[in-house]
């Protein structure tokens, strides 16, 4: 939507524009998980927890021990769902939701027939929530119902420009502007990932678990990315026309300020060579 009109007749005018997006996109995630037998545990009278069906958990027969350490492995094992499709695959419906609001306002003012000015402000604000995965392995992570990836951004731009006509052949345009881009991405979970049974390091959120035998990675909350960029711009252009010739002289000065923060495996990664 947009609208505009005069503020002062023949002197000052305004224009406003808005665009909005709301998206709720259905997605289907497909993960490679452990056999259901890997979740079937029994605890003996002596307090030892073992797999009820070791052969079902590891049909290859490479499993050398069926003991599951309750306070260490069992909490992480419980995060993996049992397969609901053949070939030890797990699928679940999810949604990719996105919001974006874009707005712009401009004001023009005529000081005289030879001197005009305009000011413009633009803002673009949005956020995104994704469940990622689609049969990704080892290093991707965040491919299960408990985990999501969140993104947000807010970009703002301000411009002030003045045109002055010195003569029918000489025109000057001076402009000052500021632009700020700000976006970030991080992982989140629907449970307390800092609980002792999930933390790789005391007091820290859960990192990522990678099993190189083709299973989808789990976790991945230790990766985030935030980027802020400020640009200050000053420019001036002089236009001169002489007969069939047109000349342009000018200068453009940009000052960049960058503030970036990125992490990789901030809370650690556990890598297993195989399901056992």
């Amino acid at each position: 939507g947009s609208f505009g009109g005069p503020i002062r007749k023949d002197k000052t005018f305004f224009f406003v524009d808005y665009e909005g997006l709301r998206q709720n996109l259905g997605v289907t995630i497909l993960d490679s998980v452990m056999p259901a037998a890997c979740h079937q545990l029994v605890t003996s009278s002596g307090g030892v927890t073992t797999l009820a069906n070791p052969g079902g958990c590891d049909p290859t027969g490479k499993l050398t021990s069926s003991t599951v350490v309750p306070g260490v492995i069992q909490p992480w094992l419980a995060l993996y769902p049992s397969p609901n499709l053949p070939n030890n695959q797990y699928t679940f419906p999810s949604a990719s939701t996105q919001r974006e609001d874009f707005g712009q306002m401009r004001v023009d003012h005529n000081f005289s027939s030879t001197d005009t000015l305009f000011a413009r402000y633009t803002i673009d604000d949005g956020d995104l929530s994704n469940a990622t995965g689609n049969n990704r392995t080892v290093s991707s992570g965040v491919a299960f119902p408990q985990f999501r990836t969140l993104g947000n951004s807010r970009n703002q731009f301000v411009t002030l420009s003045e045109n002055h006509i010195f003569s029918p052949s000489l025109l000057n345009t001076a402009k000052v502007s500021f632009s700020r881009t700000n976006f970030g991405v991080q992982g989140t979970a629907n449970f307390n990932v800092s609980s002792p049974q999930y933390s790789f390091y005391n007091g820290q959120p859960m990192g990522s678990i990678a099993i190189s035998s083709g299973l989808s990675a789990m976790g991945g909350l230790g990766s985030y990315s935030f980027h802020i960029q400020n640009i200050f711009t000053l420019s001036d252009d002089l236009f001169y026309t002489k007969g069939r010739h047109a000349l342009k002289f000018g200068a453009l000065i940009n000052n960049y300020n960058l503030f970036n923060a990125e992490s990789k495996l901030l809370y650690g990664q556990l890598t297993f060579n195989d399901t056992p």
Side-chain angles (χ1 to χ4, degrees), residues 192-266:
N192 184 8
V193 293
S194 297
S195 297
Q197 66 267 36
Y198 301 119
S199 297
F200 299 172
Y201 303 100
N202 290 335
Q204 297 297 320
M206 173 184 171
S208 62
I209 300 174
I211 302 176
S212 59
S213 59
L215 273 68
S216 297
M218 169 72 69
L221 298 181
S223 296
Y224 64 80
S225 176
F226 299 101
H227 300 268
I228 299 176
Q229 176 180 264
N230 297 327
I231 304 177
F232 301 86
T233 300
L234 178 66
S235 67
D236 189 87
D237 294 295
L238 186 67
F239 302 88
Y240 178 70
T241 303
K242 180 67 173 179
R244 296 184 298 174
H245 301 279
L247 300 176
K248 177 183 177 181
F249 306 91
L252 173 66
I253 301 173
N254 286 319
N255 179 271
Y256 289 83
N257 291 329
L258 303 177
F259 307 91
N260 298 331
E262 293 192 30
S263 72
K264 185 65 175 177
L265 303 178
L266 180 64

Side-chain angles (χ1 to χ4, degrees), residues 147-159:
F147 302 94
R148 295 188 69 82
T149 299
L150 304 180
N152 59 80
S153 66
R154 171 169 287 189
N155 305 320
Q156 300 180 79
F157 311 90
V158 179
T159 301

